[in-house]
Amino acid sequence: MLSTINLEDTPVLDIFRFAGAQAVKGFNQKSSKLDTPCEFFRKNKLRSFRCKTLKMGDVRLSVILPDGCEFYAIQRNFTLAYIKLVRSYYSRLNDLNYEKKQCTHG
């Protein structure tokens, strides 16, 4: 059942059609390539990369941030661990930047 939802003072908006259009747009956009480990290291001014194979065969990839904190990801191979590490690192940076903006405007 499709119904129109009125969101407070906004004009009548067909939320299901809008969501469907956004979903299609998301599938059509190409994702950008990840930086190589060396580019990622230099661009973010990291202190060190560490890679360790755990007992069960998983790989633990970690970086030491400029402030001394460790940031890591565990996956079944190096490539997957690197992808997870980079994506979670950048999402963490975006969250921190968003919080800073909220503090200065709030």
PDB file of all heavy atoms in Angstrom, residues 1-35:
ATOM      1  N   MET A   1       0.834  -1.172   0.000  1.00  0.00           N
ATOM      2  CA  MET A   1       0.000   0.000   0.000  1.00  0.00           C
ATOM      3  C   MET A   1       0.884   1.241   0.000  1.00  0.00           C
ATOM      4  O   MET A   1       1.716   1.430   0.879  1.00  0.00           O
ATOM      5  CB  MET A   1      -0.877  -0.026   1.256  1.00  0.00           C
ATOM      6  CG  MET A   1      -1.779   1.151   1.390  1.00  0.00           C
ATOM      7  SD  MET A   1      -2.810   0.940   2.830  1.00  0.00           S
ATOM      8  CE  MET A   1      -2.562   2.494   3.597  1.00  0.00           C
ATOM      9  N   LEU A   2       0.742   2.092  -0.986  1.00  0.00           N
ATOM     10  CA  LEU A   2       1.490   3.341  -1.051  1.00  0.00           C
ATOM     11  C   LEU A   2       0.600   4.465  -0.553  1.00  0.00           C
ATOM     12  O   LEU A   2      -0.558   4.568  -0.925  1.00  0.00           O
ATOM     13  CB  LEU A   2       1.926   3.646  -2.478  1.00  0.00           C
ATOM     14  CG  LEU A   2       2.950   2.698  -3.086  1.00  0.00           C
ATOM     15  CD1 LEU A   2       3.215   3.084  -4.528  1.00  0.00           C
ATOM     16  CD2 LEU A   2       4.238   2.747  -2.301  1.00  0.00           C
ATOM     17  N   SER A   3       1.168   5.275   0.305  1.00  0.00           N
ATOM     18  CA  SER A   3       0.411   6.430   0.779  1.00  0.00           C
ATOM     19  C   SER A   3       1.341   7.629   0.842  1.00  0.00           C
ATOM     20  O   SER A   3       2.554   7.486   0.918  1.00  0.00           O
ATOM     21  CB  SER A   3      -0.188   6.156   2.156  1.00  0.00           C
ATOM     22  OG  SER A   3       0.824   5.861   3.076  1.00  0.00           O
ATOM     23  N   THR A   4       0.771   8.799   0.796  1.00  0.00           N
ATOM     24  CA  THR A   4       1.531  10.038   0.837  1.00  0.00           C
ATOM     25  C   THR A   4       1.660  10.480   2.289  1.00  0.00           C
ATOM     26  O   THR A   4       0.696  10.449   3.045  1.00  0.00           O
ATOM     27  CB  THR A   4       0.821  11.119   0.007  1.00  0.00           C
ATOM     28  OG1 THR A   4       0.642  10.613  -1.311  1.00  0.00           O
ATOM     29  CG2 THR A   4       1.644  12.375  -0.041  1.00  0.00           C
ATOM     30  N   ILE A   5       2.872  10.891   2.668  1.00  0.00           N
ATOM     31  CA  ILE A   5       3.138  11.318   4.035  1.00  0.00           C
ATOM     32  C   ILE A   5       3.409  12.812   4.030  1.00  0.00           C
ATOM     33  O   ILE A   5       4.241  13.295   3.275  1.00  0.00           O
ATOM     34  CB  ILE A   5       4.362  10.576   4.618  1.00  0.00           C
ATOM     35  CG1 ILE A   5       4.087   9.074   4.611  1.00  0.00           C
ATOM     36  CG2 ILE A   5       4.684  11.069   6.013  1.00  0.00           C
ATOM     37  CD1 ILE A   5       5.299   8.245   4.968  1.00  0.00           C
ATOM     38  N   ASN A   6       2.721  13.561   4.879  1.00  0.00           N
ATOM     39  CA  ASN A   6       2.941  14.992   5.015  1.00  0.00           C
ATOM     40  C   ASN A   6       3.926  15.211   6.157  1.00  0.00           C
ATOM     41  O   ASN A   6       3.657  14.853   7.296  1.00  0.00           O
ATOM     42  CB  ASN A   6       1.626  15.708   5.288  1.00  0.00           C
ATOM     43  CG  ASN A   6       1.789  17.214   5.234  1.00  0.00           C
ATOM     44  OD1 ASN A   6       2.847  17.715   4.900  1.00  0.00           O
ATOM     45  ND2 ASN A   6       0.727  17.920   5.556  1.00  0.00           N
ATOM     46  N   LEU A   7       5.090  15.779   5.851  1.00  0.00           N
ATOM     47  CA  LEU A   7       6.119  16.017   6.867  1.00  0.00           C
ATOM     48  C   LEU A   7       6.043  17.456   7.346  1.00  0.00           C
ATOM     49  O   LEU A   7       6.584  18.361   6.742  1.00  0.00           O
ATOM     50  CB  LEU A   7       7.505  15.718   6.290  1.00  0.00           C
ATOM     51  CG  LEU A   7       7.708  14.301   5.750  1.00  0.00           C
ATOM     52  CD1 LEU A   7       9.056  14.204   5.069  1.00  0.00           C
ATOM     53  CD2 LEU A   7       7.601  13.295   6.863  1.00  0.00           C
ATOM     54  N   GLU A   8       5.334  17.669   8.433  1.00  0.00           N
ATOM     55  CA  GLU A   8       5.145  18.959   9.092  1.00  0.00           C
ATOM     56  C   GLU A   8       4.798  20.070   8.103  1.00  0.00           C
ATOM     57  O   GLU A   8       3.759  20.039   7.481  1.00  0.00           O
ATOM     58  CB  GLU A   8       6.378  19.313   9.929  1.00  0.00           C
ATOM     59  CG  GLU A   8       6.600  18.347  11.069  1.00  0.00           C
ATOM     60  CD  GLU A   8       7.828  18.651  11.881  1.00  0.00           C
ATOM     61  OE1 GLU A   8       8.436  19.728  11.696  1.00  0.00           O
ATOM     62  OE2 GLU A   8       8.175  17.832  12.720  1.00  0.00           O
ATOM     63  N   ASP A   9       5.662  21.068   7.936  1.00  0.00           N
ATOM     64  CA  ASP A   9       5.339  22.229   7.108  1.00  0.00           C
ATOM     65  C   ASP A   9       5.740  22.063   5.644  1.00  0.00           C
ATOM     66  O   ASP A   9       5.573  22.973   4.855  1.00  0.00           O
ATOM     67  CB  ASP A   9       6.034  23.483   7.660  1.00  0.00           C
ATOM     68  CG  ASP A   9       5.487  23.848   9.035  1.00  0.00           C
ATOM     69  OD1 ASP A   9       4.326  23.509   9.298  1.00  0.00           O
ATOM     70  OD2 ASP A   9       6.228  24.455   9.816  1.00  0.00           O
ATOM     71  N   THR A  10       6.289  20.911   5.281  1.00  0.00           N
ATOM     72  CA  THR A  10       6.702  20.709   3.897  1.00  0.00           C
ATOM     73  C   THR A  10       5.491  20.326   3.058  1.00  0.00           C
ATOM     74  O   THR A  10       4.516  19.799   3.579  1.00  0.00           O
ATOM     75  CB  THR A  10       7.768  19.600   3.785  1.00  0.00           C
ATOM     76  OG1 THR A  10       7.203  18.391   4.298  1.00  0.00           O
ATOM     77  CG2 THR A  10       9.007  19.976   4.553  1.00  0.00           C
ATOM     78  N   PRO A  11       5.550  20.579   1.765  1.00  0.00           N
ATOM     79  CA  PRO A  11       4.430  20.178   0.918  1.00  0.00           C
ATOM     80  C   PRO A  11       4.310  18.661   0.883  1.00  0.00           C
ATOM     81  O   PRO A  11       5.210  17.937   1.306  1.00  0.00           O
ATOM     82  CB  PRO A  11       4.793  20.737  -0.448  1.00  0.00           C
ATOM     83  CG  PRO A  11       6.241  20.991  -0.403  1.00  0.00           C
ATOM     84  CD  PRO A  11       6.596  21.243   1.029  1.00  0.00           C
ATOM     85  N   VAL A  12       3.199  18.192   0.387  1.00  0.00           N
ATOM     86  CA  VAL A  12       2.965  16.761   0.320  1.00  0.00           C
ATOM     87  C   VAL A  12       4.079  16.105  -0.488  1.00  0.00           C
ATOM     88  O   VAL A  12       4.451  16.561  -1.552  1.00  0.00           O
ATOM     89  CB  VAL A  12       1.590  16.491  -0.334  1.00  0.00           C
ATOM     90  CG1 VAL A  12       1.366  15.001  -0.481  1.00  0.00           C
ATOM     91  CG2 VAL A  12       0.490  17.122   0.488  1.00  0.00           C
ATOM     92  N   LEU A  13       4.634  15.048   0.074  1.00  0.00           N
ATOM     93  CA  LEU A  13       5.808  14.413  -0.507  1.00  0.00           C
ATOM     94  C   LEU A  13       5.570  12.915  -0.585  1.00  0.00           C
ATOM     95  O   LEU A  13       5.227  12.282   0.409  1.00  0.00           O
ATOM     96  CB  LEU A  13       7.032  14.698   0.369  1.00  0.00           C
ATOM     97  CG  LEU A  13       8.347  14.047   0.013  1.00  0.00           C
ATOM     98  CD1 LEU A  13       8.853  14.606  -1.306  1.00  0.00           C
ATOM     99  CD2 LEU A  13       9.361  14.309   1.103  1.00  0.00           C
ATOM    100  N   ASP A  14       5.717  12.337  -1.757  1.00  0.00           N
ATOM    101  CA  ASP A  14       5.588  10.893  -1.908  1.00  0.00           C
ATOM    102  C   ASP A  14       6.921  10.269  -1.516  1.00  0.00           C
ATOM    103  O   ASP A  14       7.849  10.179  -2.313  1.00  0.00           O
ATOM    104  CB  ASP A  14       5.212  10.544  -3.343  1.00  0.00           C
ATOM    105  CG  ASP A  14       4.934   9.064  -3.508  1.00  0.00           C
ATOM    106  OD1 ASP A  14       5.123   8.302  -2.542  1.00  0.00           O
ATOM    107  OD2 ASP A  14       4.528   8.679  -4.616  1.00  0.00           O
ATOM    108  N   ILE A  15       7.023   9.862  -0.265  1.00  0.00           N
ATOM    109  CA  ILE A  15       8.283   9.409   0.316  1.00  0.00           C
ATOM    110  C   ILE A  15       8.785   8.132  -0.349  1.00  0.00           C
ATOM    111  O   ILE A  15       9.983   7.921  -0.498  1.00  0.00           O
ATOM    112  CB  ILE A  15       8.155   9.242   1.849  1.00  0.00           C
ATOM    113  CG1 ILE A  15       9.519   9.129   2.522  1.00  0.00           C
ATOM    114  CG2 ILE A  15       7.297   8.057   2.202  1.00  0.00           C
ATOM    115  CD1 ILE A  15      10.258  10.406   2.576  1.00  0.00           C
ATOM    116  N   PHE A  16       7.874   7.272  -0.784  1.00  0.00           N
ATOM    117  CA  PHE A  16       8.296   6.015  -1.396  1.00  0.00           C
ATOM    118  C   PHE A  16       8.921   6.250  -2.766  1.00  0.00           C
ATOM    119  O   PHE A  16       9.909   5.623  -3.118  1.00  0.00           O
ATOM    120  CB  PHE A  16       7.101   5.058  -1.500  1.00  0.00           C
ATOM    121  CG  PHE A  16       6.568   4.674  -0.153  1.00  0.00           C
ATOM    122  CD1 PHE A  16       5.370   5.198   0.307  1.00  0.00           C
ATOM    123  CD2 PHE A  16       7.274   3.812   0.672  1.00  0.00           C
ATOM    124  CE1 PHE A  16       4.889   4.855   1.550  1.00  0.00           C
ATOM    125  CE2 PHE A  16       6.799   3.468   1.916  1.00  0.00           C
ATOM    126  CZ  PHE A  16       5.598   3.990   2.367  1.00  0.00           C
ATOM    127  N   ARG A  17       8.379   7.160  -3.548  1.00  0.00           N
ATOM    128  CA  ARG A  17       8.944   7.469  -4.855  1.00  0.00           C
ATOM    129  C   ARG A  17      10.313   8.125  -4.679  1.00  0.00           C
ATOM    130  O   ARG A  17      11.258   7.827  -5.383  1.00  0.00           O
ATOM    131  CB  ARG A  17       8.008   8.398  -5.632  1.00  0.00           C
ATOM    132  CG  ARG A  17       8.514   8.663  -7.038  1.00  0.00           C
ATOM    133  CD  ARG A  17       7.545   9.476  -7.853  1.00  0.00           C
ATOM    134  NE  ARG A  17       6.310   8.738  -8.009  1.00  0.00           N
ATOM    135  CZ  ARG A  17       5.098   9.296  -8.083  1.00  0.00           C
ATOM    136  NH1 ARG A  17       4.973  10.590  -8.020  1.00  0.00           N
ATOM    137  NH2 ARG A  17       4.034   8.561  -8.236  1.00  0.00           N
ATOM    138  N   PHE A  18      10.425   9.024  -3.703  1.00  0.00           N
ATOM    139  CA  PHE A  18      11.688   9.698  -3.419  1.00  0.00           C
ATOM    140  C   PHE A  18      12.754   8.684  -2.998  1.00  0.00           C
ATOM    141  O   PHE A  18      13.886   8.718  -3.478  1.00  0.00           O
ATOM    142  CB  PHE A  18      11.484  10.737  -2.319  1.00  0.00           C
ATOM    143  CG  PHE A  18      12.739  11.453  -1.925  1.00  0.00           C
ATOM    144  CD1 PHE A  18      13.309  12.393  -2.759  1.00  0.00           C
ATOM    145  CD2 PHE A  18      13.352  11.178  -0.717  1.00  0.00           C
ATOM    146  CE1 PHE A  18      14.468  13.052  -2.396  1.00  0.00           C
ATOM    147  CE2 PHE A  18      14.513  11.832  -0.341  1.00  0.00           C
ATOM    148  CZ  PHE A  18      15.068  12.774  -1.185  1.00  0.00           C
ATOM    149  N   ALA A  19      12.401   7.758  -2.109  1.00  0.00           N
ATOM    150  CA  ALA A  19      13.355   6.749  -1.637  1.00  0.00           C
ATOM    151  C   ALA A  19      13.787   5.847  -2.780  1.00  0.00           C
ATOM    152  O   ALA A  19      14.958   5.487  -2.897  1.00  0.00           O
ATOM    153  CB  ALA A  19      12.737   5.934  -0.509  1.00  0.00           C
ATOM    154  N   GLY A  20      12.858   5.484  -3.658  1.00  0.00           N
ATOM    155  CA  GLY A  20      13.201   4.643  -4.796  1.00  0.00           C
ATOM    156  C   GLY A  20      14.159   5.337  -5.738  1.00  0.00           C
ATOM    157  O   GLY A  20      15.112   4.731  -6.246  1.00  0.00           O
ATOM    158  N   ALA A  21      13.951   6.625  -5.972  1.00  0.00           N
ATOM    159  CA  ALA A  21      14.835   7.385  -6.860  1.00  0.00           C
ATOM    160  C   ALA A  21      16.227   7.494  -6.249  1.00  0.00           C
ATOM    161  O   ALA A  21      17.236   7.386  -6.956  1.00  0.00           O
ATOM    162  CB  ALA A  21      14.267   8.775  -7.113  1.00  0.00           C
ATOM    163  N   GLN A  22      16.309   7.691  -4.943  1.00  0.00           N
ATOM    164  CA  GLN A  22      17.608   7.777  -4.280  1.00  0.00           C
ATOM    165  C   GLN A  22      18.334   6.435  -4.330  1.00  0.00           C
ATOM    166  O   GLN A  22      19.546   6.387  -4.487  1.00  0.00           O
ATOM    167  CB  GLN A  22      17.447   8.236  -2.826  1.00  0.00           C
ATOM    168  CG  GLN A  22      16.970   9.653  -2.682  1.00  0.00           C
ATOM    169  CD  GLN A  22      17.933  10.639  -3.318  1.00  0.00           C
ATOM    170  OE1 GLN A  22      19.137  10.532  -3.193  1.00  0.00           O
ATOM    171  NE2 GLN A  22      17.384  11.605  -4.030  1.00  0.00           N
ATOM    172  N   ALA A  23      17.596   5.337  -4.198  1.00  0.00           N
ATOM    173  CA  ALA A  23      18.212   4.014  -4.246  1.00  0.00           C
ATOM    174  C   ALA A  23      18.799   3.751  -5.627  1.00  0.00           C
ATOM    175  O   ALA A  23      19.920   3.250  -5.744  1.00  0.00           O
ATOM    176  CB  ALA A  23      17.189   2.945  -3.888  1.00  0.00           C
ATOM    177  N   VAL A  24      18.078   4.103  -6.668  1.00  0.00           N
ATOM    178  CA  VAL A  24      18.581   3.910  -8.033  1.00  0.00           C
ATOM    179  C   VAL A  24      19.820   4.758  -8.258  1.00  0.00           C
ATOM    180  O   VAL A  24      20.797   4.314  -8.838  1.00  0.00           O
ATOM    181  CB  VAL A  24      17.480   4.238  -9.069  1.00  0.00           C
ATOM    182  CG1 VAL A  24      18.060   4.296 -10.471  1.00  0.00           C
ATOM    183  CG2 VAL A  24      16.368   3.210  -8.993  1.00  0.00           C
ATOM    184  N   LYS A  25      19.811   5.995  -7.770  1.00  0.00           N
ATOM    185  CA  LYS A  25      20.965   6.874  -7.933  1.00  0.00           C
ATOM    186  C   LYS A  25      22.194   6.282  -7.240  1.00  0.00           C
ATOM    187  O   LYS A  25      23.299   6.345  -7.753  1.00  0.00           O
ATOM    188  CB  LYS A  25      20.661   8.252  -7.340  1.00  0.00           C
ATOM    189  CG  LYS A  25      21.737   9.280  -7.626  1.00  0.00           C
ATOM    190  CD  LYS A  25      21.526  10.577  -6.886  1.00  0.00           C
ATOM    191  CE  LYS A  25      20.234  11.246  -7.249  1.00  0.00           C
ATOM    192  NZ  LYS A  25      20.049  12.532  -6.544  1.00  0.00           N
ATOM    193  N   GLY A  26      21.994   5.682  -6.073  1.00  0.00           N
ATOM    194  CA  GLY A  26      23.106   5.077  -5.351  1.00  0.00           C
ATOM    195  C   GLY A  26      23.730   3.914  -6.091  1.00  0.00           C
ATOM    196  O   GLY A  26      24.928   3.700  -6.042  1.00  0.00           O
ATOM    197  N   PHE A  27      22.909   3.130  -6.808  1.00  0.00           N
ATOM    198  CA  PHE A  27      23.444   1.996  -7.552  1.00  0.00           C
ATOM    199  C   PHE A  27      24.130   2.425  -8.839  1.00  0.00           C
ATOM    200  O   PHE A  27      24.977   1.720  -9.356  1.00  0.00           O
ATOM    201  CB  PHE A  27      22.334   0.991  -7.875  1.00  0.00           C
ATOM    202  CG  PHE A  27      21.901   0.196  -6.685  1.00  0.00           C
ATOM    203  CD1 PHE A  27      20.605   0.283  -6.225  1.00  0.00           C
ATOM    204  CD2 PHE A  27      22.786  -0.623  -6.021  1.00  0.00           C
ATOM    205  CE1 PHE A  27      20.198  -0.455  -5.122  1.00  0.00           C
ATOM    206  CE2 PHE A  27      22.403  -1.357  -4.921  1.00  0.00           C
ATOM    207  CZ  PHE A  27      21.102  -1.269  -4.473  1.00  0.00           C
ATOM    208  N   ASN A  28      23.782   3.572  -9.382  1.00  0.00           N
ATOM    209  CA  ASN A  28      24.369   4.033 -10.633  1.00  0.00           C
ATOM    210  C   ASN A  28      25.716   4.711 -10.450  1.00  0.00           C
ATOM    211  O   ASN A  28      26.505   4.788 -11.379  1.00  0.00           O
ATOM    212  CB  ASN A  28      23.421   4.989 -11.367  1.00  0.00           C
ATOM    213  CG  ASN A  28      22.204   4.263 -11.885  1.00  0.00           C
ATOM    214  OD1 ASN A  28      22.222   3.061 -12.077  1.00  0.00           O
ATOM    215  ND2 ASN A  28      21.137   5.012 -12.094  1.00  0.00           N
ATOM    216  N   GLN A  29      25.996   5.243  -9.252  1.00  0.00           N
ATOM    217  CA  GLN A  29      27.245   5.941  -9.016  1.00  0.00           C
ATOM    218  C   GLN A  29      28.378   4.941  -8.817  1.00  0.00           C
ATOM    219  O   GLN A  29      28.234   3.954  -8.123  1.00  0.00           O
ATOM    220  CB  GLN A  29      27.141   6.827  -7.779  1.00  0.00           C
ATOM    221  CG  GLN A  29      26.167   7.965  -7.931  1.00  0.00           C
ATOM    222  CD  GLN A  29      25.994   8.719  -6.624  1.00  0.00           C
ATOM    223  OE1 GLN A  29      26.419   8.275  -5.570  1.00  0.00           O
ATOM    224  NE2 GLN A  29      25.330   9.849  -6.702  1.00  0.00           N
ATOM    225  N   LYS A  30      29.515   5.211  -9.470  1.00  0.00           N
ATOM    226  CA  LYS A  30      30.678   4.352  -9.280  1.00  0.00           C
ATOM    227  C   LYS A  30      31.388   4.753  -7.997  1.00  0.00           C
ATOM    228  O   LYS A  30      31.518   5.932  -7.695  1.00  0.00           O
ATOM    229  CB  LYS A  30      31.639   4.490 -10.453  1.00  0.00           C
ATOM    230  CG  LYS A  30      31.171   3.832 -11.717  1.00  0.00           C
ATOM    231  CD  LYS A  30      32.280   3.855 -12.744  1.00  0.00           C
ATOM    232  CE  LYS A  30      31.860   3.063 -13.957  1.00  0.00           C
ATOM    233  NZ  LYS A  30      32.939   2.994 -14.939  1.00  0.00           N
ATOM    234  N   SER A  31      31.829   3.752  -7.272  1.00  0.00           N
ATOM    235  CA  SER A  31      32.584   4.062  -6.056  1.00  0.00           C
ATOM    236  C   SER A  31      34.008   4.443  -6.450  1.00  0.00           C
ATOM    237  O   SER A  31      34.547   3.964  -7.440  1.00  0.00           O
ATOM    238  CB  SER A  31      32.598   2.864  -5.109  1.00  0.00           C
ATOM    239  OG  SER A  31      33.190   1.764  -5.744  1.00  0.00           O
ATOM    240  N   SER A  32      34.590   5.314  -5.660  1.00  0.00           N
ATOM    241  CA  SER A  32      35.949   5.756  -5.975  1.00  0.00           C
ATOM    242  C   SER A  32      36.953   4.692  -5.536  1.00  0.00           C
ATOM    243  O   SER A  32      36.692   3.898  -4.641  1.00  0.00           O
ATOM    244  CB  SER A  32      36.240   7.068  -5.263  1.00  0.00           C
ATOM    245  OG  SER A  32      36.117   6.891  -3.868  1.00  0.00           O
ATOM    246  N   LYS A  33      38.099   4.687  -6.192  1.00  0.00           N
ATOM    247  CA  LYS A  33      39.142   3.726  -5.843  1.00  0.00           C
ATOM    248  C   LYS A  33      39.759   4.111  -4.506  1.00  0.00           C
ATOM    249  O   LYS A  33      39.896   5.288  -4.181  1.00  0.00           O
ATOM    250  CB  LYS A  33      40.234   3.723  -6.898  1.00  0.00           C
ATOM    251  CG  LYS A  33      39.878   2.988  -8.146  1.00  0.00           C
ATOM    252  CD  LYS A  33      41.101   2.882  -9.037  1.00  0.00           C
ATOM    253  CE  LYS A  33      40.852   1.930 -10.156  1.00  0.00           C
ATOM    254  NZ  LYS A  33      42.050   1.742 -10.977  1.00  0.00           N
ATOM    255  N   LEU A  34      40.140   3.097  -3.762  1.00  0.00           N
ATOM    256  CA  LEU A  34      40.845   3.348  -2.507  1.00  0.00           C
ATOM    257  C   LEU A  34      42.289   3.721  -2.801  1.00  0.00           C
ATOM    258  O   LEU A  34      42.869   3.300  -3.798  1.00  0.00           O
ATOM    259  CB  LEU A  34      40.828   2.086  -1.640  1.00  0.00           C
ATOM    260  CG  LEU A  34      39.499   1.674  -1.044  1.00  0.00           C
ATOM    261  CD1 LEU A  34      39.682   0.380  -0.261  1.00  0.00           C
ATOM    262  CD2 LEU A  34      38.940   2.744  -0.150  1.00  0.00           C
ATOM    263  N   ASP A  35      42.861   4.503  -1.910  1.00  0.00           N
ATOM    264  CA  ASP A  35      44.280   4.818  -2.007  1.00  0.00           C
ATOM    265  C   ASP A  35      45.090   3.544  -1.777  1.00  0.00           C
ATOM    266  O   ASP A  35      44.637   2.625  -1.097  1.00  0.00           O
ATOM    267  CB  ASP A  35      44.682   5.838  -0.939  1.00  0.00           C
ATOM    268  CG  ASP A  35      43.986   7.169  -1.100  1.00  0.00           C
ATOM    269  OD1 ASP A  35      43.602   7.491  -2.238  1.00  0.00           O
ATOM    270  OD2 ASP A  35      43.825   7.874  -0.094  1.00  0.00           O
TER     271      ASP A  35
END
